[in-house]
Amino acid sequence: MSEIKKAEKIVGVKGMNDILPVDAPLWELFENTVQTVLKSYGFQQIRTPIVEPTALFARGLGEVTDIVEKEMYSFTDSMNGDNLTLRPESTAGVVRAVLEHNLTYDGPKRLWYAGPMFRHERPQRGRYRQFHQVGAEAIGFTGPDIDAELIMLCQRLWDDLGLDNIRLELNSIGNADERNRHRADLVAYFEQHKELLDADAQRRLHSNPLRILDTKNPAMQQMVNAAPKLLDYLGEESRTHFEGVQKILRHGNIPFTINPRLVRGMDYYNRTVFEWVTDQLGSQGTVCGGGRYDPLVEMFGGKPTPACGFAIGVERLLELMKASGEQFAPNQCDVYVVHQGDAAQLQAFVLAERLRDAGLDVVLHCASTNAGGSFKSQMKRADASGAAYAVIIGEDEVAKGVAAVKAMRAGEAENNQAMVAFDGVADYLVDQIVGADEHDHTEHVHYHH
Ligand code: ATP
Ligand code: MG
């Protein structure tokens, strides 16, 4: 009996998921599409650190928001005592960076970011402790046109991803004065209906009453529906701005509904707020949230600078793409190289590099694994790899200066197997693969020259 105790497995942190190779094609399709769309509107990428000073979020998001009250991963840097936080969202970090590097010195900026965010929430479907957002921030733009542009950009993204089950909800939450007048009436109204408020709402009654409107508690819906509406408190400028957004959307054929109860979680929002919502994901149905945050730059010590942005919850959006029933092909290679014998292995390395030079995706059989060995077992690997072609090199082939090229999928080529001189293999395969591509545009996605 062995004295060595079997080591216990270490598992990942609850609510923080591994994204496995099986899902990689879906992520890549999403990431490529979103980058292309953002670029087509002139947005430039910015990458900010995952860790920021805790004060950035406390000040930026507001002390009484869900995130700052209970969801932040904050810690003390043991080296120097700094209070740090894993970013729960990116707007605060982006605005900090814009100020720090004076990025708007020569005019407004259209920026975008992507990456992991961290919130200590109860993990459930569509709600994780590490999740991903792709977002855009348009900094320095005053008018309703940029609000509408951001929304149209989202619509284009859904269209390009083939998603047609997302609807737009829109609202204006006015400015601070307008919200204060509304807030006074709202608190008075809630106090009249105190017996209907749940614990969450009780807690928020004086700290963040607007957020009560956002409740998901069915028992409170009727009461909340009849509460004073912020829209009725908007002044002339806020109303004109909101109408400006709607006008462009109508003209651009972007359907929307006005949801007077729509508010956003963070303190920094004003005027336009919007959410893209689907019914297909259960209760976590918001796939994207955004709006205007004109006060934020000044709150961070910058000159008054208007701004507007959105953030997409990537996991939820991918869930929706999966729900659409479309299959996302696994990443496959073009060519699998099979070889036997020392001389053949060396030759195989050279050939594989040449094929890659020609733009092909090539997997070289690894002879040092247990499964190395017979041609038959290697061909099984080649088959499993999904490669369109296997290139086979044995002692005979080395001696003759050729390689056997075998089409792995029926219908790929007229001659199932051909002997091709080493120097000609790359051209031969490119011809075959591009030729097949011309016949069937959907089949080949790997070859790109
Ligand atoms: P919710 O009301 O669902 O808690 P939120 O208002 O906290 O959302 P935002 O801060 O606006 O969300 O973030 C934008 C988007 O990021 C959300 O609409 C959602 O799609 C996604 N998101 C937010 N929190 C999570 C999470 N914990 N896990 C996965 N996705 C999330
Ligand atoms: Mg939340």
Side-chain angles (χ1 to χ4, degrees), residues 66-67 71 119 121 127 211 316:
D66 276 0
I67 293 179
E71 295 174 359
R119 298 185 192 178
E121 305 194 68
R127 202 176 281 293
R211 202 71 216 262
R316 293 187 194 175

